[in-house]
């Protein structure tokens, strides 16, 4: 077995900045299932990266203590030697892909462990079968949904057969059914293969019968504390959102049909009008076509039928002008950034903003404070936590002020307080600027006061929750 020890670890991203982590001491129990919680920006991802030996090589400075793997400092070990014993799944699975397909990526990962070809082929086949990837194993990774990519990333971790598995928000873009299936797979790995599992997550649902130990990072002190397992029980029930959209809005679609590849139909003859001043939730299983619908509405993929603006066909509108009407917020926040610091992103959005009357300097400062980003304005955006990046991404796009906002998993990786702050910001903005919002989210907790209606993507159609099937 492999022994991992965090010994009095303190860490800062800059030598002259306060520590993110302070005097962390943790020896994960071998063969145990551990859940790590804490608010967005508390340091969960930082701790996991340090435990994987990625820090300080890829940023920051250890100001005290160290991390040891089998009683040796972890950082000097060769990457392939570390990976044989400890593997990490990042928040954004795209960061772990270097090849075109899941099968090729699995082979590539195992080749880097310098394994014999027979062993590689055996492990690839087992991982594809275990994570049910047969239908997408040879599909271009760029065409997969966020949830499907997470399954591929988890298959890579499984194939590597490391003793310790670190997972950073692995279910942020995964639908509830797939989430429970992946959790079951992880518990099976722990019990049958005696793996040590450590997961950071904001969503506590589904862990009640799985977790052996619960830990939390305190944001104020940067310290780690074990928590009672009772925190995983009596969670709020998640229910559908019953509400009706009104019929007034500039963007609509008629007989919209979406197809991927040569024959796989995602959506057939759909009709809808996005209501102004309301927030809609678009739900459905991973890979069903939610993100593809957003790409069609923003004119990034082909479709049949019509997308209309004030009842006029939009195909003749130049893409540059269409981007001033419809904004797509990507699943991966870092893909949206084009400058280096938080302040530079905000300033760029102001320069191109369409709602300057509302987004005054005072309003922006108030928003930064409500999102707890006001002390990070000079920070490099790529050094922010995943949750902090999400909050900055949403704020930057709100400042841009397009009439239509399509938000693809804007709440992934956010704690409940951050969810409330982001949703309040969106709600206030659309009421003041008369925008329309449609949002994809598998995170449902904390949304009851903000969602006006829910569309379920299922069986090649969009179904309004609460509406009769033949309506």
């Amino acid at each position: 077995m492999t022994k991992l020890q965090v010994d009095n670890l303190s860490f800062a991203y800059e030598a002259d900045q306060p520590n993110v982590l302070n005097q962390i001491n943790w020896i994960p129990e071998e063969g145990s299932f551990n859940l790590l919680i804490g608010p967005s920006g508390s340091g969960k991802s930082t701790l996991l990266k340090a435990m994987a030996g990625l820090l300080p090589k890829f940023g920051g400075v250890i100001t005290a203590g160290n991390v040891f793997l089998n009683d040796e400092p972890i950082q000097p070990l060769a990457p392939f030697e570390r990976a044989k014993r400890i593997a990490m799944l990042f928040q954004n699975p795209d960061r772990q892909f270097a090849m075109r397909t899941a099968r090729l990526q699995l082979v590539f990962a195992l080749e880097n462990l310098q394994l014999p070809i027979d062993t590689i082929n055996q492990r690839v086949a087992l991982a594809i079968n275990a994570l049910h990837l047969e239908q997408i194993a040879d599909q271009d990774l760029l065409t997969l949904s966020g949830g499907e990519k997470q399954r591929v990333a988890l298959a890579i971790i499984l194939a590597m057969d490391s003793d310790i598995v670190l997972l950073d928000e692995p279910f942020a873009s995964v639908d509830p059914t797939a989430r429970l299936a992946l959790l079951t797979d992880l518990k099976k790995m722990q019990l049958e293969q005696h793996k040590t599992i450590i997961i950071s997550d904001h969503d506590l649902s589904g862990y009640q019968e799985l977790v052996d130990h619960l830990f939390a990072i305190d944001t104020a002190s940067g310290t780690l504390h074990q928590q009672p397992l009772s925190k995983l029980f009596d969670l709020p029930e998640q229910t559908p959102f019953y509400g009706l959209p009104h019929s007034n809005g500039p963007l609509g679609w008629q007989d919209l049909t979406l197809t991927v590849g040569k024959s796989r139909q995602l959506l057939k003859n759909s009709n809808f009008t996005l209501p102004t001043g309301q927030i809609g939730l678009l739900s459905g299983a991973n890979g069903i076509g939610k993100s593809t619908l957003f790409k069609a509405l923003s004119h990034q993929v082909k479709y049949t039928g019509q997308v209309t603006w004030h009842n006029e066909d939009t195909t003749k509108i130049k893409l540059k002008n269409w981007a001033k009407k419809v904004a797509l917020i990507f699943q991966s926040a870092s893909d949206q950034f084009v400058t280096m610091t938080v302040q530079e992103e905000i300033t760029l959005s102001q320069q191109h903003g369409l709602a300057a009357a509302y987004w005054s300097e005072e309003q922006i400062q108030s928003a930064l404070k409500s999102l707890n980003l006001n002390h990070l304005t000079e920070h490099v955006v790529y050094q922010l936590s995943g949750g902090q990046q999400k909050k900055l991404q949403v704020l930057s796009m709100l400042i841009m002020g397009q009439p239509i906002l399509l938000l693809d998993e804007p709440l992934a990786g956010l704690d409940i307080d951050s969810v409330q702050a982001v949703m309040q910001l969106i709600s206030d903005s659309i009421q003041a600027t008369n925008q329309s919002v449609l949002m994809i989210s598998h995170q449902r907790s904390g949304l009851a006061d903000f969602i006006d209606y829910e569309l379920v993507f299922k069986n090649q159609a969009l179904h309004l929750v609460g509406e009769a099937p033949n309506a």
Side-chain angles (χ1 to χ4, degrees):
M1 289 298 295
T2 299
K3 178 185 176 183
L4 181 65
Q5 179 179 1
V6 184
D7 182 29
N8 201 41
L9 179 70
S10 296
F11 180 88
Y13 276 103
E14 298 290 344
D16 58 349
Q17 292 179 358
N19 287 336
V20 177
L21 303 174
N22 268 307
Q23 298 180 328
I24 303 289
N25 289 284
W26 188 11
I27 304 178
E29 179 184 330
E30 292 181 3
S32 63
F33 198 113
N34 305 269
L35 179 60
L36 178 63
I37 62 175
S40 301
S42 61
K44 301 185 300 301
S45 298
T46 301
L47 177 56
L48 293 183
K49 289 175 183 177
M51 293 170 74
L54 302 178
L55 301 178
K57 182 177 181 179
F58 295 101
V61 57
I62 292 177
T63 57
N66 211 337
V67 177
F68 297 91
L69 189 64
N70 291 335
D71 298 320
E72 296 183 16
I74 192 171
Q75 297 88 2
L77 296 176
F80 79 93
E81 290 291 350
R82 287 201 307 263
K84 287 179 180 179
R85 296 166 176 82
I86 183 166
M88 181 170 177
L89 175 62
F90 299 115
Q91 281 188 29
N92 182 358
D94 285 327
R95 294 184 179 180
Q96 297 189 220
F97 300 151
M99 307 301 286
R100 187 177 62 83
T101 69
R103 191 185 305 276
L104 293 174
Q105 183 62 44
L106 280 160
V107 171
F108 177 73
L110 298 180
E111 285 176 341
N112 278 282
L113 297 183
Q114 302 183 8
L115 298 176
I117 186 64
D118 289 345
T119 302
I120 290 175
N121 291 336
Q122 183 180 31
R123 288 195 190 182
V124 168
L126 288 172
I128 288 174
N129 179 261
L131 273 298
H132 315 293
L133 300 177
E134 292 87 352
Q135 292 187 343
I136 62 173
D138 299 301
Q139 188 174 328
D140 196 316
L141 286 167
L142 294 175
T143 67
L144 301 184
S145 71
E148 289 171 330
K149 289 177 181 177
Q150 285 289 30
R151 283 169 51 206
V152 172
L154 188 56
I156 295 169
I157 299 299
L158 175 63
M160 290 170 66
D161 197 29
S162 306
D163 291 331
I164 300 173
V165 179
L166 310 178
L167 302 106
D168 191 6
E169 296 286 349
F171 314 120
S173 300
V174 177
D175 68 74
T177 301
R179 171 192 171 87
L180 291 177
L182 290 174
L183 278 172
T184 300
D185 291 333
L186 286 168
K187 188 64 178 180
K188 186 177 180 181
M189 285 175 58
Q190 177 222 347
L191 296 177
E192 295 183 0
Q193 303 176 39
H194 205 63
K195 304 296 186 185
T196 303
I197 308 292
I198 303 175
I199 303 179
S200 75
D201 204 343
H202 290 296
D203 185 351
L204 305 187
S205 61
Y207 287 106
Q208 289 79 358
E209 306 300 327
L210 306 180
V211 172
D212 299 311
H213 306 290
L214 177 66
F215 296 88
I217 295 181
D218 180 82
T219 306
S221 64
T223 54
L224 182 72
H225 304 278
Q226 190 160 359
Q227 304 292 307
L229 294 180
S230 58
K231 282 195 171 185
L232 301 177
F233 294 85
D234 298 323
L235 301 177
E237 184 180 358
Q238 297 185 358
T239 59
F241 296 103
Y242 297 95
L244 295 177
H246 58 67
S247 58
N248 299 320
L251 178 68
W253 57 88
Q254 297 79 43
D255 296 322
L256 184 65
T257 297
L258 301 175
T259 303
V260 293
K262 296 182 179 180
S263 58
R264 185 187 171 201
Q265 194 168 75
L266 301 177
L267 186 66
K268 183 177 180 181
N269 298 333
S270 176
N271 298 278
F272 193 72
T273 298
L274 280 185
T276 298
Q278 289 186 300
I279 301 175
L281 178 68
L282 178 61
S283 60
N286 291 126
I288 200 73
K290 302 184 299 296
S291 295
T292 303
L293 172 61
F294 277 11
K295 291 177 181 177
L297 297 178
S298 55
H299 287 183
Q300 296 185 42
V301 298
K302 294 181 179 180
Y303 58 86
T304 59
Q306 280 195 326
V307 175
T308 58
W309 186 259
H310 292 294
N311 299 317
E312 296 292 331
D313 185 17
T314 61
T315 55
K316 295 182 181 179
I317 299 177
K318 292 182 179 180
L319 191 58
K320 179 179 179 180
N321 294 328
W322 190 237
K324 295 179 181 179
K325 301 181 185 298
V326 177
L328 173 58
I329 296 184
F330 305 143
Q331 269 192 35
S332 173
S334 59
D335 289 344
Q336 203 111 40
F337 301 140
V338 294
T339 63
M340 287 300 293
T341 70
V342 172
Q343 185 58 60
E344 288 171 348
E345 282 294 322
I346 296 296
T347 300
L348 185 63
S349 293
Q350 286 178 284
Q351 291 172 351
H352 298 277
L354 304 174
Y358 176 72
W359 286 107
S360 63
E361 189 63 37
E362 181 180 2
Q363 183 67 31
I364 291 173
Q365 292 306 314
S366 175
L368 286 168
K369 185 175 182 180
S370 71
L371 297 175
N372 198 27
L373 296 175
N374 54 308
H375 63 295
L376 299 173
T377 54
E378 298 307 317
H379 281 233
V380 174
V381 293
Y382 304 103
Q383 290 185 346
L384 300 177
S385 73
Q388 289 168 335
Q389 287 183 345
K390 281 289 185 183
K391 290 188 284 188
L392 173 61
Q393 178 193 25
V394 171
L395 176 58
S396 297
M397 296 305 291
L398 286 174
I399 293 172
M400 290 288 290
Q402 290 98 324
I404 308 296
L405 288 179
L406 306 175
L407 289 76
D408 196 347
E409 295 289 357
L411 309 177
L414 297 185
D415 62 88
I416 189 62
D417 290 337
S418 294
V419 168
Q420 294 277 304
V422 167
M423 292 306 300
Q424 189 63 60
L425 200 68
I426 294 171
S427 180
D428 292 344
S429 177
I430 69 169
Q431 295 305 319
T433 61
N434 216 29
Q435 294 168 295
S436 303
V437 173
L438 187 59
M439 179 176 75
I440 298 169
S441 179
H442 294 299
Q443 155 73 291
R444 303 177 70 93
S445 298
L447 301 186
D449 294 334
F450 303 101
I451 298 299
D452 295 297
Y453 63 93
E454 180 175 357
L455 289 173
V456 180
F457 203 141
K458 186 177 182 181
N459 297 329
Q460 301 178 0
L462 300 176
H463 305 275
L464 183 63
V465 171
E467 184 181 61
N470 59 352

